[in-house]
Amino acid sequence: MAAAAALGFALTPALTAPARAAAPTAVSVPGTFNSEIGCAGDWSPDCSQAQLTARTDGSGAWSRTYTLPAGSYAYKAAINKSWAENYGAKAQSYGADIPLQIPAGGRSVTFVYDPVTHWITDNVNSKIVTAGGSFQSEIGCSSDWAPDCLKSWLKDVDGDGTYTWSTEAIPAGTYSVKAAIGQSWDESYGQGGSPTGDNISFTVPETGSTVDFRYNSTTHVLSVQTEEPPGPALDGTLGALYTPTQTTFRIWSPDNSQVSVTVGGQTHTLRPADVAGYTDVYQAVVPGNWKNQPYQFRVGNNTVRDPYARMVKPGTTEGIVMDVDAIEPTGGWAPTPAITKREDAVIYEMNVRNFTIDPSSGVDSAKRGKFAGLTQTGTTHNGANTGIDHLKELGVTHVQLLPSYDFNSTVPNWGYDPLNYNVPEEQFSQHTDPEARVREFKNMVNEFHKNDIRVLMDVVYNHTASKDVFQNITGKYYHQTQLSGTGNSIDDGNPMVSRMILDSLEYWVDTYNIDGFRFDLIGVHQYKNVDQWAKYLQATFPDRTLQIHGEPWSGGVDDPQEAQKVRYGTTPALAGGHVGVFNGTYRDAIKGGTRDQNVGYMGGTASNASSIALGMRGSPLATKSTTPLADPWAAAFAYDPEQTINYVSAHDDLNIWDKITYSGVTGGPTGRAGQMSRFAAGMALTSQGIPFFHEGDEFLHSKVVNGDYEAAKNSYESGDNVNAIQWSEKTANAASFRYYKDAIALRKNTPALRLGTWDAVKNQMSTTINGSIVTSAISSNAAAPTSHDTVVVFNPTNNSANASLPAGTWKKVLGTNGATDSTSNTADPLAVTVFKKN
């Protein structure tokens, strides 16, 4: 329909679906035949001649019969005489035009609209099928055996030729039925699909039972299936919602009404359900105790996975019914480690397998590379702490786990190919038993908490392993534009996809006590959705101080909706939800590109000192505002210091040590190369914002094997010889580890390095540039903003420099090798130097 399509209506995503629309006061069929029925023009939703008539049979349906001349037409249904609400093919809101072909000589056409399913059809494109029988007066028809009563109207919304109707309104008893076509007995079908077949008998075992009628338009067979009524359905989300007496199965299916679930060898038809906050949901409530039993959804002719599955049967699309909330960690939940503000965080990125898979980890062989291995205490190598004891010694506050939900690839692989967003990855578990796997993951989180470390999850809601993951449910899960660079980008612009992501996030926080999320390619997502997710989580868990951040870019492609996506420029609008982004601009200023041989400021480049000064201050906005910026890639973007994640190395690309050696820097760990690595790390650890570093950076872990830097640049599927942490590196490079440990301890003990607001940075921090040397004098006291008690000097030169310190007695507390205790005012060369006032 060219005319209606040109109206260009847009749907605004929302976390909570609008309430079901009130019954329409008018329904019309605007189309290309409107002028033939007396309207002034075609596509006229307000034309009186195009208005259908509300039926008086109690069905709520609208219908009207017209005589149309021969021709090719198209039409839609419009509600209340405007285009504000309209439905097209397959009952889709703003859906495609419905074609209508009238043969030579013209014919009578009956249009019928159902306000519940929004199916608009006609008796040319489809049949008007009713279940006429001895039960009709019981459901509100004026009499039994009434083919023209649409209270028992069977519909083929998805156009597959199968017409269905479900009801719970037939009282207990035995009844007879036939399929009536065209609202009369002129064409009807009984037993075996025969026009002369006997009445079809069926029994309703109990009042309130579900009765499903199904008519096959090819064979003309009408089948009737009854199910005893279950107990009340649960509130909540989608998926398999368990109780000991029944399980409620729900799935979103906006394109196909033929939905079923098979559990315990029995297949149950799902029917439309009105679930608050969701649309196009189908549901079946199956009596019985189905705990730990597999189930399989089917949409149309396809078996499909449950996007909300809490557990799955590995290698299949079968879910497993779980009572996850009843599975407690061993000994019960420990308190979540306290944190005053997000700027107090020091984040350590790690991979479940890489961290402990090597025997040098000291972890028990059965636990290596598993969730349980991450929290085994008392492990050492060459007398040095490994595993979680290493993290405690280092002083980090958060671990950030690379993808730990169910992914498609076989380890060793980083897992950025999601299959099931709510299921702990089986390759990281010691257990095949579903409950044991859930408990192992909960135990891991709980043991981190007991050791005063919070747990973040790396989540990949921007794409799936392939389109096969969800497309057989509906293609509406996916973008038309492949923004993630993987060919299967998730479209959170669809409200139900956005809701799925929010539900998954809430599930991990609520069920597994997760403390926050790192979003892979958060730039694929609409910033308004991210803002809604974050605000909802922060409000729902107000005592958790959840950490949320991500990569503010897409997968290296042009995005036609860039202004609506998460970028540096839209980060200010995310301040209310406490959402931060990785500061790639500051990263590149410090170390040059992620895969090139430019070493940037850490290598002595003087030209970008102003970029360093901005990053040192937490990349604050020039003017405090939550309004998105005109420049999506503005370097000054943070409304609050917590919004910048400062880093020089992550799992992607060359890690910091390999970047330095790839760039030809010599001297090894004890020479200039090692000094440069400490300088880069020191800048991230002493800048305003939140510092972040990758596993092994603290002791110069290298992913280069036999000189192969190309593999190290993208080692997502490399073997353990590349990615696994070799704990011998800790003792071999003890000086580097000691520097990280000292710098983290200094950060924790120096409030001036952890300012908590844009105003504090503006008022309490004075930054100067002298050649290539950048110096900041900071006050930790908002009441005395110019009484500076901490001075930080970034010196990229080969020569020491005298720091200009305010009046008073000062001590040098951090230098090129870590903690120091000196009255010297010398800023070390190629180093971060920190002075504190006594």
Side-chain angles (χ1 to χ4, degrees):
M1 145 186 133
L7 294 172
F9 296 114
L11 295 177
T12 301
L15 286 180
T16 302
R20 185 174 295 280
T25 59
V27 177
S28 59
V29 280
T32 57
F33 56 80
N34 288 169
S35 56
E36 280 79 1
I37 62 173
C39 295
D42 290 337
W43 297 110
S44 303
D46 58 346
C47 171
S48 60
Q49 289 91 333
Q51 306 301 312
L52 305 185
T53 301
R55 297 190 53 101
T56 59
D57 56 8
S59 66
W62 297 67
S63 66
R64 186 168 177 175
T65 301
Y66 300 91
T67 299
L68 297 182
S72 296
Y73 304 102
Y75 71 95
K76 297 177 84 170
I79 309 303
N80 299 335
K81 300 184 179 182
S82 84
W83 286 114
E85 183 182 356
N86 69 84
Y87 300 94
K90 299 183 179 181
Q92 292 301 298
S93 175
Y94 291 81
D97 302 337
I98 302 169
L100 178 61
Q101 187 69 38
I102 303 299
R107 66 161 291 176
S108 175
V109 182
T110 299
F111 296 89
V112 188
Y113 171 76
D114 174 34
V116 176
T117 64
H118 303 300
W119 191 41
I120 176 66
T121 190
D122 60 77
N123 64 344
V124 175
N125 283 303
S126 55
K127 299 177 183 293
I128 309 300
V129 182
T130 51
S134 61
F135 60 89
Q136 284 183 285
S137 59
E138 278 82 355
I139 66 171
C141 294
S142 60
S143 64
D144 291 334
W145 299 103
D148 58 344
C149 179
L150 294 190
K151 292 281 285 187
S152 55
W153 178 22
L154 281 68
K155 306 171 188 72
D156 180 19
V157 176
D158 60 6
D160 66 354
T162 299
Y163 294 71
T164 62
W165 171 58
S166 294
T167 182
E168 298 170 356
I170 304 176
T174 299
Y175 303 92
S176 297
V177 67
K178 279 188 171 184
I181 312 300
Q183 304 180 74
S184 80
W185 292 115
D186 292 348
E187 182 184 354
S188 64
Y189 301 95
Q191 288 279 5
S194 169
T196 58
D198 292 339
N199 296 338
I200 301 163
S201 178
F202 68 95
T203 298
V204 180
E206 184 177 342
T207 298
S209 296
T210 300
V211 186
D212 293 320
F213 296 82
R214 186 179 296 264
Y215 170 75
N216 185 309
S217 61
T218 301
T219 64
H220 303 299
V221 171
L222 174 68
S223 59
V224 186
Q225 179 182 348
T226 61
E227 294 183 9
E228 293 186 11
L234 297 177
D235 292 330
T237 63
L238 309 188
L241 308 178
Y242 168 82
T243 73
T245 58
Q246 64 185 38
T247 296
T248 302
F249 295 93
R250 291 175 179 157
I251 192 170
W252 177 50
S253 180
D255 303 327
N256 197 319
S257 63
Q258 306 302 311
V259 187
S260 65
V261 65
T262 300
V263 60
Q266 296 293 317
T267 298
H268 305 268
T269 299
L270 275 68
R271 59 188 184 276
D274 190 1
V275 181
Y278 302 83
T279 60
D280 299 311
V281 171
Y282 287 77
Q283 170 181 287
V285 183
V286 181
N289 189 339
W290 299 106
K291 184 177 181 179
N292 297 333
Q293 295 301 304
Y295 64 94
Q296 178 66 71
F297 279 124
R298 180 180 290 273
V299 175
N301 295 320
N302 299 306
T303 56
V304 299
R305 70 182 67 251
D306 175 8
Y308 281 72
R310 278 75 168 168
M311 186 57 62
V312 295
K313 186 176 179 180
T316 75
T317 55
E318 292 182 72
I320 297 176
V321 178
M322 297 290 291
D323 186 9
V324 177
D325 290 335
I327 305 170
E328 288 283 306
T330 304
W333 284 110
T336 299
I339 189 170
T340 302
K341 60 182 188 299
R342 292 169 183 83
E343 289 87 352
D344 296 340
V346 178
I347 300 173
Y348 186 95
E349 181 187 46
M350 64 195 307
N351 176 272
V352 173
R353 180 180 177 89
N354 293 350
F355 198 63
T356 66
I357 192 63
D358 192 82
S360 64
S361 69
V363 169
D364 296 344
S365 58
K367 297 179 180 179
R368 291 176 196 156
K370 308 298 184 182
F371 295 126
L374 293 183
T375 54
Q376 180 178 336
T377 59
T379 60
T380 62
H381 180 72
N382 290 340
N385 291 327
T386 62
I388 191 172
D389 289 343
H390 165 79
L391 298 174
K392 291 165 63 181
E393 181 185 8
L394 187 57
V396 299
T397 64
H398 294 65
V399 292
Q400 178 178 295
L401 305 180
L402 266 68
S404 301
Y405 49 73
D406 189 44
F407 51 79
N408 187 53
S409 52
T410 302
V411 297
N413 189 293
W414 289 342
Y416 287 92
D417 50 349
L419 288 177
N420 297 284
Y421 285 119
N422 299 328
V423 178
E425 169 55 45
E426 73 267 12
Q427 295 175 94
F428 291 159
S429 176
Q430 302 176 87
H431 306 288
T432 56
D433 175 72
E435 289 194 1
R437 195 198 315 177
V438 169
R439 183 172 289 106
E440 182 177 1
F441 193 101
K442 289 188 175 185
N443 280 344
M444 172 197 68
V445 175
N446 206 37
E447 291 304 311
F448 271 124
H449 285 177
K450 289 178 182 179
N451 286 277
D452 207 29
I453 298 174
R454 289 176 162 234
V455 182
L456 309 178
M457 285 185 66
D458 191 336
V459 288
V460 189
Y461 297 115
N462 68 83
H463 71 274
T464 55
S466 69
K467 281 192 173 181
D468 290 342
V469 173
F470 293 143
Q471 71 176 353
N472 285 335
I473 303 172
T474 172
K476 291 181 173 63
Y477 276 103
Y478 295 100
H479 269 296
Q480 295 298 313
T481 305
Q482 299 309 324
L483 303 174
S484 63
T486 61
N488 38 58
S489 301
I490 290 290
D491 183 11
D492 63 279
N494 186 298
M496 281 293 285
V497 178
S498 178
R499 183 61 190 255
M500 178 196 74
I501 295 172
L502 174 62
D503 287 343
S504 179
L505 294 166
E506 182 179 13
Y507 175 73
W508 283 107
V509 177
D510 188 48
T511 304
Y512 287 96
N513 249 6
I514 288 297
D515 302 296
F517 304 95
R518 176 265 188 190
F519 280 77
D520 180 67
L521 298 185
I522 200 172
V524 169
H525 300 305
Q526 295 187 14
Y527 79 85
K528 290 183 179 179
N529 284 341
V530 174
D531 183 56
Q532 289 178 316
W533 304 335
K535 285 178 177 174
Y536 175 85
L537 292 173
Q538 305 292 5
T540 304
F541 305 97
D543 58 337
R544 296 293 297 278
T545 318
L546 297 174
Q547 174 64 36
I548 301 173
H549 57 259
E551 298 173 300
W553 43 77
S554 58
V557 297
D558 292 331
D559 189 339
Q561 293 183 313
E562 184 168 62
Q564 281 73 53
K565 301 303 178 66
V566 177
R567 297 290 186 267
Y568 296 128
T570 54
T571 299
L574 302 177
H578 303 283
V579 178
V581 295
F582 283 92
N583 197 334
T585 302
Y586 190 31
R587 173 202 63 193
D588 292 348
I590 293 173
K591 72 167 189 177
T594 55
R595 299 188 183 187
D596 61 27
Q597 295 181 317
N598 168 23
V599 288
Y601 186 80
M602 71 180 184
T605 300
S607 60
N608 63 348
S610 60
S611 296
I612 295 296
L614 180 66
M616 185 188 205
R617 295 171 60 82
S619 301
L621 290 160
T623 301
K624 185 180 178 183
S625 171
T626 57
T627 302
L629 303 170
D631 179 4
W633 303 109
F637 61 82
Y639 176 88
D640 187 290
E642 70 181 20
Q643 290 194 284
T644 173
I645 307 300
N646 300 324
Y647 72 119
V648 292
S649 181
H651 61 272
D652 285 324
D653 308 307
L654 293 170
N655 61 17
I656 187 61
W657 182 242
D658 291 338
K659 161 70 179 184
I660 290 169
T661 60
Y662 178 65
S663 302
V665 182
T666 59
T670 60
R672 181 174 178 81
Q675 189 175 2
M676 190 178 295
S677 174
R678 296 192 297 275
F679 183 34
M683 285 187 272
L685 286 164
T686 60
S687 294
Q688 302 300 327
I690 298 175
F692 167 104
F693 57 99
H694 184 56
E695 60 183 355
D697 282 351
E698 69 275 24
F699 44 69
L700 309 183
H701 175 60
S702 175
K703 297 189 290 186
V704 176
V705 177
N706 297 323
D708 188 357
Y709 281 94
E710 292 304 310
K713 290 177 182 178
N714 192 21
S715 62
Y716 74 98
E717 60 181 354
S718 295
D720 294 331
N721 63 325
V722 172
N723 285 320
I725 296 300
Q726 308 294 324
W727 288 94
S728 59
E729 293 173 321
K730 180 176 179 179
T731 50
N733 300 312
S736 178
F737 170 75
R738 184 172 60 251
Y739 180 88
Y740 272 81
K741 177 182 176 182
D742 290 350
I744 291 171
L746 175 66
R747 181 179 183 86
K748 287 183 170 182
N749 294 324
T750 308
L753 299 179
R754 297 177 284 108
L755 299 179
T757 65
W758 183 93
D759 295 285
V761 172
K762 180 178 185 294
N763 298 327
Q764 296 165 230
M765 190 170 184
S766 174
T767 305
T768 59
I769 301 173
N770 183 7
S772 60
I773 298 174
V774 181
T775 302
S776 282
I778 315 164
S779 170
S780 59
N781 184 0
T786 60
S787 296
H788 301 134
D789 51 56
T790 304
V791 171
V792 181
V793 181
F794 293 175
N795 180 6
T797 74
N798 296 325
N799 302 305
S800 59
N802 290 330
S804 177
L805 303 174
T809 303
W810 290 78
K811 275 195 174 181
K812 180 177 176 178
V813 294
L814 185 74
T816 186
N817 295 314
T820 185
D821 186 359
S822 167
T823 58
S824 169
N825 69 337
T826 300
D828 296 343
L830 201 68
V832 174
T833 306
V834 179
F835 303 89
K836 293 182 73 173
K837 192 174 185 179
N838 287 340

